[in-house]
Amino acid sequence: MAKIGFIGTGLMGQGMVTNLLKAGHQVQVWNRTKEKALSLVEKGAIWNTSAQACSQDVDYVITIVGYPKDVEEVYFGTQGIFAGVSAKTVLIDMTTTSPALATKIYSTAKDRGLQALDAPVSGGQAGAQSGQLAIMVGGEEEVFQKALPILEALGTNIVYEGPAGSGQHTKMANQIAIAGALAGVCEALYYAKQTGLDPEKTYQTIRTGAAGSFQMEAFMPKIIAQDFDATFYMKHFIKDLTIASEESQQRNFKLEIMEAIRQECQQVQAMGYGDQGTQALYHYYQA
């Protein structure tokens, strides 16, 4: 069993650390808010006082934090991972962040005799808890194979996508696909209500046909019940779509549907719903 330093014990990290512990790994944790890690300490995780300390004398360091700026600080800060990590450690960033930052981490790691993978995930809090995440991995294939037993404690669909940054690019494609599907669910439900249909009956009717989707199953019942609690934050979804937007602009191609939905999400955040789940997009139609 491996020794793992795990940084980021929020909505996703809670379930992921629990599954690593269940798999028999020794896990030490750090989070900026210690209270969010205490339940994991009760399960057997070891608390550390900084990202630097959490990265020392381990086989793997796994990170899943909020924004690219958080990834930058966690890896390159004065008390960050590169300030404490031992040689030959494998670094696995599972945050959804920019492909350029993933490449920077990979290059810095290689220069220091370390190995690095970018391995963003899809599946939300439920997937993290059940150990059924989809994991998209960029880096060297040899390192991917080495880390695969660790990743198998966290996910079921684990795919090597290509060189450093490829995992993040795949996650951008994932988020773009979600944006369209989620907006379709919200608009369909809004149409049903506006035309006097029974929302629940409409959901039960269309969910088994060609319109059925993961987004419909996950969120249409929640919207009908006015349940906007987060399994994945709207503010983080906006962050992801913004990264995709920046990547497309750098390469001079358009993502018109995604851009429209990104702007709708930003308006929802401006209404004060950024800490709700992605199903909060429905507020845009109610405004």
Side-chain angles (χ1 to χ4, degrees):
M1 294 297 104
K3 293 177 65 177
I4 300 169
F6 197 104
I7 296 168
T9 58
L11 282 178
M12 300 294 289
Q14 289 281 329
M16 295 166 77
V17 171
T18 299
N19 286 322
L20 289 169
L21 290 169
K22 286 180 180 178
H25 300 296
Q26 179 182 313
V27 187
Q28 53 193 48
V29 297
W30 179 77
N31 193 72
R32 286 180 299 185
T33 306
K34 184 178 180 180
E35 286 73 22
K36 292 182 179 180
L38 293 181
S39 63
L40 296 172
V41 173
E42 291 175 359
K43 294 177 182 178
I46 301 165
W47 170 254
N48 286 119
T49 56
S50 67
Q52 179 181 5
C54 196
S55 306
Q56 293 175 339
D57 301 317
V58 293
D59 304 307
Y60 298 88
V61 175
I62 298 175
T63 53
I64 184 161
V65 294
Y67 295 89
K69 62 181 178 60
D70 301 316
V71 175
E72 185 89 31
E73 181 179 350
V74 158
Y75 277 88
F76 297 98
T78 55
Q79 291 189 304
I81 292 167
F82 284 122
V85 69
S86 307
K88 297 184 180 180
T89 302
V90 178
L91 309 178
I92 308 174
D93 183 29
M94 306 188 83
T95 315
T96 299
T97 187
S98 75
L101 182 52
T103 303
K104 178 181 177 181
I105 292 169
Y106 167 82
S107 298
T108 303
K110 191 166 187 177
D111 289 344
R112 301 189 183 194
L114 307 166
Q115 299 168 322
L117 299 171
D118 51 287
V121 302
S122 182
Q125 186 179 24
Q129 290 174 342
S130 65
Q132 295 182 315
L133 292 167
I135 307 177
M136 313 151 213
V137 188
E140 296 177 7
E141 189 166 9
E142 180 181 346
V143 181
F144 166 75
Q145 294 296 337
K146 178 180 178 180
L148 188 56
I150 304 300
L151 299 176
E152 286 174 337
L154 305 174
T156 52
N157 183 20
I158 306 165
V159 181
Y160 174 70
E161 307 291 351
S166 298
Q168 297 296 347
H169 280 303
T170 306
K171 183 59 184 290
M172 292 304 105
N174 184 86
Q175 300 306 76
I176 293 163
I178 286 175
L182 177 62
V185 167
C186 292
E187 288 197 2
L189 184 56
Y190 182 69
Y191 177 89
K193 287 188 174 184
Q194 291 299 108
T195 56
L197 297 176
D198 178 276
E200 179 62 28
K201 187 179 290 186
T202 301
Y203 164 63
Q204 294 297 342
T205 303
I206 69 175
R207 64 190 287 259
T208 60
S213 69
F214 180 93
Q215 294 298 306
M216 183 176 289
E217 291 299 304
F219 296 123
M220 191 173 277
K222 287 181 177 288
I223 297 169
I224 292 170
Q226 294 292 291
D227 175 4
F228 295 102
D229 290 345
T231 57
F232 182 68
Y233 289 119
M234 171 59 77
K235 62 186 180 183
H236 288 167
F237 190 50
I238 294 169
K239 174 260 295 183
D240 297 349
L241 297 184
T242 300
I243 292 170
S245 177
E246 291 169 350
E247 290 293 322
S248 67
Q249 289 175 28
Q250 289 173 12
R251 290 164 174 77
N252 197 30
F253 64 86
K254 295 180 180 179
L255 299 170
E256 294 180 358
I257 294 173
M258 186 279 292
E259 286 291 358
I261 297 165
R262 184 172 75 96
Q263 291 173 23
E264 293 175 7
C265 289
Q266 288 174 327
Q267 290 185 47
V268 168
Q269 185 175 40
M271 296 175 196
Y273 300 121
D275 286 324
Q276 292 188 349
T278 52
Q279 70 271 29
L281 179 60
Y282 191 73
H283 293 309
Y284 174 81
Y285 298 94
Q286 290 184 311

